[in-house]
Amino acid sequence: MQLTINGETRDVAGAATVAQLLASLELDSRKIAIELNREIVPRSAYGETGLNSGDRIEIVHFIGGGNAPLGSGLDDYFEVAGRRFRSRLLVGTGKYKDFEQTRLAIEASGAEIVTVAVRRVNVTDRNQPMLVDYVDPKIYTYLPNTAGCFTADDAVRTLRLAREAGGWKLVKLEVLGDQKTLYPDMEQTLAATKLLVKDGFDVMVYCADDPIAAKKLEDLGACAIMPLAGLIGSGLGIQNPVNIRIIIENARVPVLVDAGVGTASDAAIAMELGCDGVLMNTAIAEAKDPIRMARAMKLAIEAGRLAYQSGRMPKKRYADPSSPLAGLI
């Protein structure tokens, strides 16, 4: 029997059902999701779902992609989709040299939420390690994202597979406009948000730093707004702090800066603007010492949050002496 598995045509013998196919491939059904002819197969139905020659099958899992408490006290947290998180630093899991470095960096960051990409399982090398073997989804909140999707249809399909693979309905949506800038396509992003919310997902949305677009996303039911600081992976820092502040002032849901952070000061600035959190990946993973940079980002988030809560002094046009002038000799 010929099957197309993850885009490759293979001759498979003795696999009349999905369960038998997974057994022949030596894949752990607990760590993957299956799509048969573009229809998701529930894990409970693997044993009774038959296969026919010519079927197209996608087998996916989570990869690096995209919990020490942070904040000034136990009462300092942000809430998204009814869940509370004290760590205001969210980290991606891609670009590290290996999964062990990924694990160490996440631990150093103190993050509670980690983003993960959904990709095809390597059915040829069955011994290849998986992210879940290093970053325990029982300890960390996995946030499946749609990195690499350029249409609303692809994004929705990806997140439905993610929900089947791990049961998570809290997801991060990004629909990109082009390969060069990875800037969000807001028309497709709005369309995907509408479909996902209708389908029962809690959607955190990567978007342009546009207050009007951000408001439209919130009105559609997005549970968090994630405007970019700069282009994905650029390290340019916050390019438009005025718009970010306007988005925060208008929002009734959490606002988290996403993409473009390059160093600790960028993270602190985002928090000083009043953001509920910051999501980053490249700034940590591509640092010369990712583990130390993760620690620096954790401290920067804490410092920026405390500064925002404290209320900065007003800016003045002229000097204002710190020491009293009375009693000078």
Side-chain angles (χ1 to χ4, degrees):
M1 177 168 58
Q2 273 200 341
L3 300 174
T4 301
I5 303 174
N6 288 353
E8 179 184 347
T9 301
R10 299 163 64 100
D11 289 314
V12 179
T17 67
V18 169
Q20 291 173 353
L21 174 64
L22 294 181
S24 70
L25 295 174
E26 298 180 17
L27 292 176
D28 187 342
S29 63
R30 297 170 299 177
K31 298 179 179 179
I32 60 175
I34 303 288
E35 186 182 69
L36 175 60
N37 299 326
R38 297 185 68 90
E39 294 290 334
I40 292 174
V41 181
R43 192 169 288 117
S44 60
Y46 286 177
E48 60 192 49
T49 301
L51 298 176
N52 299 297
S53 187
D55 281 346
R56 301 186 66 87
I57 300 166
E58 294 288 343
I59 308 175
V60 304
H61 65 138
F62 296 117
I63 67 166
N67 297 352
L70 287 177
S72 58
L74 294 177
D75 60 340
D76 185 46
Y77 57 83
F78 79 99
E79 185 171 323
V80 58
R83 301 178 62 180
R84 294 180 177 182
F85 299 95
R86 291 194 173 88
S87 172
R88 295 176 180 272
L89 176 58
L90 292 70
V91 295
T93 49
K95 298 188 175 181
Y96 293 95
K97 69 176 184 179
D98 53 38
F99 284 144
E100 178 62 16
Q101 187 181 69
T102 305
R103 180 185 69 80
L104 292 172
I106 292 172
E107 289 180 358
S109 75
E112 295 175 278
I113 301 176
V114 297
T115 63
V116 293
V118 181
R119 293 293 185 271
R120 288 170 168 171
V121 169
N122 187 333
V123 295
T124 303
D125 182 3
R126 292 182 288 273
N127 294 319
Q128 189 179 63
M130 291 187 177
L131 181 69
V132 294
D133 298 324
Y134 291 81
V135 182
D136 190 346
K138 295 179 182 177
I139 297 175
Y140 299 96
T141 295
Y142 270 31
L143 185 67
N145 67 25
T146 56
C149 291
F150 289 84
T151 68
D153 180 63
D154 284 345
V156 171
R157 181 185 173 201
T158 296
L159 292 177
R160 285 173 176 163
L161 274 167
R163 180 168 60 184
E164 177 62 27
W168 296 283
K169 72 173 201 170
L170 179 64
V171 296
K172 181 199 166 189
L173 171 67
E174 55 184 79
V175 185
L176 306 176
D178 64 71
Q179 288 279 4
K180 185 175 182 179
T181 68
L182 300 182
Y183 205 79
D185 181 327
M186 290 312 301
E187 181 180 2
Q188 291 292 302
T189 298
L190 287 162
T193 300
K194 185 176 182 180
L195 289 170
L196 289 166
V197 170
K198 184 178 180 180
D199 202 16
F201 285 92
D202 296 318
V203 192
M204 302 174 70
V205 189
Y206 165 68
C207 63
D209 55 354
D210 176 352
I212 304 303
K215 189 61 179 174
K216 288 181 179 179
L217 288 169
E218 183 178 342
D219 291 343
L220 285 174
C223 66
I225 306 300
M226 306 180 76
L228 54 83
L231 299 181
I232 291 173
S234 68
L236 291 171
I238 296 179
Q239 297 298 291
N240 199 337
V242 174
N243 276 15
I244 299 293
R245 188 181 290 278
I246 293 172
I247 290 172
I248 293 167
E249 290 175 353
N250 290 342
R252 301 184 305 275
V253 297
V255 175
L256 300 91
V257 154
D258 180 16
V261 169
T263 191
S265 58
D266 299 330
I269 289 170
M271 298 307 296
E272 289 172 4
L273 288 172
C275 289
D276 293 282
V278 179
L279 172 60
M280 65 183 74
N281 187 175
T282 307
I284 297 175
E286 292 194 352
K288 291 182 179 179
D289 186 337
I291 314 305
R292 186 172 293 181
M293 182 60 82
R295 172 69 175 167
M297 291 299 188
K298 172 182 177 180
L299 296 174
I301 294 289
E302 285 185 309
R305 177 63 178 171
L306 286 171
Y308 173 74
Q309 290 176 318
S310 301
R312 68 158 290 151
M313 61 166 285
K315 294 181 179 180
K316 302 173 184 178
R317 294 181 61 189
Y318 300 102
D320 183 5
S322 301
S323 302
L325 299 178
L328 286 175
I329 297 173

